[in-house]
Amino acid sequence: MKKKWLLAIPFAVVAVAITSYQTVFTLPSESQLSSISGDKVELSLQCYRNQQAKILDVNGRIDLLVWNIYKQNRDNWQTVLTQLSQNKQLVLLQEASMTSSLQSWIKQQQWFGSQVDAFKAFDTTAGVLNLTVDTPNLACAFTELEPWLRLPKSALYATYPLSSGESLAVVNIHAVNFTYGTQEYQRQLATLVKELTEHNGPIIVAGDFNSWSDARLRVMRSALNRVGLQEASYQPDNRTQFITGLPLDHIFYRGLTLETAKAPISDASDHNPIVASFTLKDKDVERPN
């Protein structure tokens, strides 16, 4: 009798774990996107479109913030995010949890938000988040399931009109992490690169690539090289590193001039942010008098 009880224990543990998982996490049946503006959160399946979007750059300049915000788990996230996002035209966040406090902050700062609904934890949506003053022309959600944790990692492909008459394609990525080998990692990047191959204008690809191994770095760089992207160099470079000494966060770009890029130290997340400034290459861009 005791033996039967002992044999039942592992099955009971698994049953409890599955029940707990299903209680905490909810996964959408397909990729979907939330658009956040003021008090409104509108859900759309995979893509949002608005052909009347306003120009993203300011006098040919694009100031960018890239940051894994760690689900806003640190007490000072709001103060630091306000400081870092000041005067930015584009904010790309990873591990954003759409809590009431984050939604209130977005409203207060008068941002338009596009977030991938990768999954919900206790009914709170989590995924990558783009913040801009106005809407994108197009924003599409992409997810890739973590093979071990069974939770999706997310990426957002968006386009924004520029004063040069071109369109900027932006990929905000939180790459799959816990894998044996690089198959899922490669598949996630390949899906996004396929979208980028159809874009003729400038491109920014940035986020938390979870590039903690040499194999992952090779896959990442090989994929992005196929669409002619180059990586920003950072001064200072305090990007968060894995125990291997390899940085996890990156900015890649094409068709823009990189003016500055830096990764300052911050205690408001488990990742340090990256701040960069670009200018458009088109000589006909309207400049201030």
Side-chain angles (χ1 to χ4, degrees):
M1 193 70 178
K2 289 182 179 180
K3 186 175 182 181
K4 287 183 179 180
W5 278 109
L6 289 173
L7 289 173
I9 290 174
F11 293 99
V13 170
V14 171
V16 170
I18 292 173
T19 302
S20 300
Y21 178 92
Q22 293 174 341
T23 301
V24 174
F25 299 107
T26 305
L27 276 60
S29 58
E30 54 186 310
S31 299
Q32 56 189 27
L33 189 77
S34 290
S35 298
I36 303 102
S37 179
D39 291 319
K40 295 171 59 179
V41 178
E42 296 183 355
L43 189 65
S44 59
L45 290 179
Q46 192 177 16
C47 292
Y48 165 93
R49 291 177 174 84
N50 178 17
Q51 295 306 313
Q52 304 303 316
K54 296 178 182 178
I55 289 170
L56 176 70
D57 62 279
V58 174
N59 299 318
R61 185 181 180 91
I62 300 170
D63 292 304
L64 168 69
L65 167 64
V66 180
W67 195 18
N68 182 321
I69 199 170
Y70 192 44
K71 303 179 184 68
Q72 304 98 252
N73 281 334
R74 302 280 172 87
D75 291 339
N76 57 338
W77 72 266
Q78 190 165 338
T79 300
V80 176
L81 181 58
T82 301
Q83 294 169 347
L84 290 172
S85 62
Q86 189 172 11
N87 299 321
K88 301 295 186 296
Q89 287 76 54
L90 183 60
V91 175
L92 307 181
L93 303 178
Q94 301 83 48
E95 285 199 51
S97 180
M98 194 50 63
T99 58
S100 57
S101 57
L102 178 57
Q103 190 174 340
S104 296
W105 181 86
I106 291 172
K107 177 183 178 181
Q108 181 185 30
Q109 300 296 317
Q110 298 183 323
W111 290 111
F112 182 90
S114 302
Q115 186 189 30
V116 179
D117 293 351
F119 60 88
K120 288 184 178 179
F122 296 112
D123 292 325
T124 300
T125 299
V128 297
L129 171 65
N130 286 19
L131 298 174
T132 48
V133 174
D134 197 59
T135 72
N137 278 139
L138 171 71
C140 292
F142 293 89
T143 56
E144 182 70 34
L145 194 65
E146 289 269 13
W148 293 359
L149 297 181
R150 309 307 296 171
L151 286 175
K153 285 294 195 293
S154 57
L156 178 59
Y157 174 86
T159 62
Y160 302 92
L162 298 174
S163 58
S164 61
E166 296 179 297
S167 176
L168 172 69
V170 175
V171 170
N172 180 2
I173 184 171
H174 189 197
V176 291
N177 194 9
F178 301 104
T179 63
Y180 182 78
T182 60
Q183 181 179 352
E184 293 84 4
Y185 191 72
Q186 196 163 10
R187 184 169 59 224
Q188 185 185 25
L189 288 169
T191 299
L192 298 166
V193 166
K194 183 180 179 182
E195 296 293 322
L196 293 172
T197 56
E198 300 177 6
H199 182 77
N200 294 320
I203 294 174
I204 293 174
V205 178
D208 177 0
F209 285 81
N210 278 314
S211 48
W212 42 260
S213 71
D214 289 328
R216 282 172 167 250
L217 280 173
R218 286 193 295 270
V219 168
M220 177 187 71
R221 287 170 176 158
S222 175
L224 298 180
N225 283 343
R226 288 200 291 273
V227 283
L229 301 185
Q230 65 184 104
E231 185 171 4
S233 56
Y234 314 93
Q235 185 61 41
D237 186 357
N238 294 304
R239 287 176 296 161
T240 301
Q241 299 178 354
F242 191 60
I243 57 174
T244 55
L246 297 175
L248 302 176
D249 308 291
H250 305 265
I251 296 175
F252 292 85
Y253 66 99
R254 183 187 82 184
L256 299 166
T257 300
L258 177 65
E259 300 293 335
T260 61
K262 59 183 179 180
I265 296 173
S266 174
D267 62 357
S269 171
D270 62 345
H271 282 243
N272 288 327
I274 303 177
V275 178
S277 295
F278 296 92
T279 54
L280 307 188
K281 284 190 172 182
D282 196 315
K283 295 180 181 179
D284 295 328
V285 171
E286 183 179 346
R287 306 293 181 182
N289 295 325

